Amino acid sequence: MKKSIFLCSICNISSGSCAEDCGFCTQSAHHHADIERYKYKPVDQIVFEAKSAASNGALGFCLVTSGLGLDDKKLAFVTEAARAVRSVLPEIHLIACNGMANVEQLRALKEAGVNSYNHNLESSQAFYKTICTTHTWESRYETCLHVKESGLFLCSGGIFGLGESKEDRASFIESVKSLNPETMPLNFYIQNPALPLKANPLSEAEALEIITQVRAALPNTRLMVAGGREITFVSPNCDIFAAGADAIVIGDYLTTKGELPKKDREMITRLGYDIASSCHA
Ligand code: SF4
């Protein structure tokens, strides 16, 4: 049986102006990156983008907000958007990604039709201190535990190529494994002149090795290759799925452009895989 590849789309519903200083993130107000900034994307625009993602084959749709976490206003906005998307796409796997959250807030998202919550550990506990000083890795881990307690599916992964060591990668992967998430997003750092992190980009071979290493550690988790895919995996026959991935983000990312969904579907077919037509988590 051919392997099926899960397609997911992300929607930046509140962009930029984040008070945190994550060194890899163009949405941090500390770095003054040249990005689009807005408080709340109109709900009808979010619904339009969700329908468009679904028509391109996305089974998952993620509502992402910048910032440290949820407050009452942001929670009201995300739940309104979730209900609006759910009402027109009853089958979509709806994900929310809104930073730190307590169990009560997460249950409110679930009540509004959200299936999964994405909160990334990003990197190893030790390395995280060198890439962010305004909040702790431990607080990220705690939110992931809240997600599990709330009954939502957990989506948690991180970003590679920040200058972390192989030991950091191994430690990070072990930490994600301890959470046993349904999905783990794998991002590959995209250099930006505004960002303080100036690590050497990973080679395609190194990045494929990372996917294989993660797959060996988490055999039952959906591994979703997300940001940085287009600039990291560049050889014409590069096969991230043979390395262990079984999902990708299609379309644009939070602040960077992605591949045309049609081209990604063609790439999946050309490599000999099916596109998933139903989601199990
Ligand atoms: S990763 Fe999240 S918390 Fe960190 S700067 Fe970006 S938006 Fe803010």
Side-chain angles (χ1 to χ4, degrees):
M1 204 174 101
K2 280 192 203 170
K3 182 167 170 175
S4 288
I5 309 304
F6 183 94
L7 308 184
C8 191
S9 170
I10 57 178
C11 181
N12 203 359
I13 66 171
S14 173
S15 174
S17 309
C18 177
E20 302 305 296
D21 72 350
C22 307
F24 53 86
C25 181
T26 51
Q27 299 203 78
S28 165
H30 294 255
H31 312 320
H32 311 288
D34 181 17
I35 59 160
E36 213 187 330
R37 294 180 177 80
Y38 43 86
K39 184 86 175 152
Y40 295 132
K41 186 176 271 186
V43 171
D44 52 0
Q45 175 65 24
I46 298 169
V47 170
F48 173 82
E49 290 180 30
K51 283 181 177 168
S52 162
S55 71
N56 279 317
L59 295 177
F61 187 72
C62 185
L63 304 166
V64 188
T65 52
S66 64
L68 182 62
L70 281 166
D71 56 23
D72 289 351
K73 265 193 177 167
K74 202 183 275 183
L75 181 63
F77 169 60
V78 181
T79 52
E80 184 193 350
R83 285 201 170 91
V85 173
R86 176 62 69 217
S87 70
V88 294
L89 295 166
E91 300 299 322
I92 198 116
H93 187 91
L94 203 48
I95 306 121
C97 172
N98 315 119
M100 312 286 167
N102 62 36
V103 177
E104 196 187 336
Q105 291 167 327
L106 293 161
R107 286 193 178 133
L109 291 173
K110 190 165 188 274
E111 181 69 30
V114 170
N115 304 102
S116 293
Y117 196 79
N118 167 244
H119 196 60
N120 291 335
L121 294 182
E122 304 297 12
S123 195
S124 75
Q125 186 170 16
F127 188 69
Y128 196 73
K129 295 181 187 79
T130 69
I131 55 173
C132 175
T133 66
T134 49
H135 63 263
T136 63
W137 183 94
E138 289 76 5
S139 63
R140 290 190 159 267
Y141 196 91
E142 191 182 28
T143 289
C144 292
L145 293 177
H146 291 164
V147 175
K148 295 189 81 88
E149 194 182 333
S150 73
L152 287 166
F153 292 114
L154 175 64
C155 172
S156 183
I159 180 162
F160 296 92
L162 300 172
E164 75 281 359
S165 65
K166 289 200 167 173
E167 290 72 29
D168 285 316
R169 274 179 212 154
S171 163
F172 161 55
I173 293 165
E174 275 309 302
S175 296
V176 175
K177 185 178 173 181
S178 71
L179 290 165
N180 193 23
E182 274 71 26
T183 302
M184 177 175 178
L186 309 177
N187 295 280
F188 298 90
Y189 182 46
I190 302 172
Q191 311 279 333
N192 180 301
L195 295 177
L197 270 170
K198 304 293 179 202
N200 289 329
L202 293 174
S203 69
E204 182 180 283
E206 274 177 293
L208 286 170
E209 216 176 282
I210 288 170
I211 298 175
T212 303
Q213 185 184 357
V214 175
R215 172 52 75 209
L218 292 102
N220 302 314
T221 294
R222 178 181 288 144
L223 298 188
M224 182 176 302
V225 179
R229 174 167 62 87
E230 291 82 354
I231 58 158
T232 307
F233 304 100
V234 288
S235 310
N237 288 320
C238 178
D239 192 342
I240 56 173
F241 310 114
D246 54 2
I248 57 170
V249 168
I250 58 163
D252 292 341
Y253 298 95
L254 298 178
T255 61
T256 56
K257 284 273 169 210
E259 185 55 273
L260 288 174
K262 181 175 176 287
K263 285 204 164 181
D264 276 335
R265 289 199 307 271
E266 283 168 4
M267 175 269 292
I268 291 167
T269 309
R270 179 171 48 78
L271 291 172
Y273 303 98
D274 283 335
I275 292 165
S277 55
S278 70
C279 66
H280 308 293

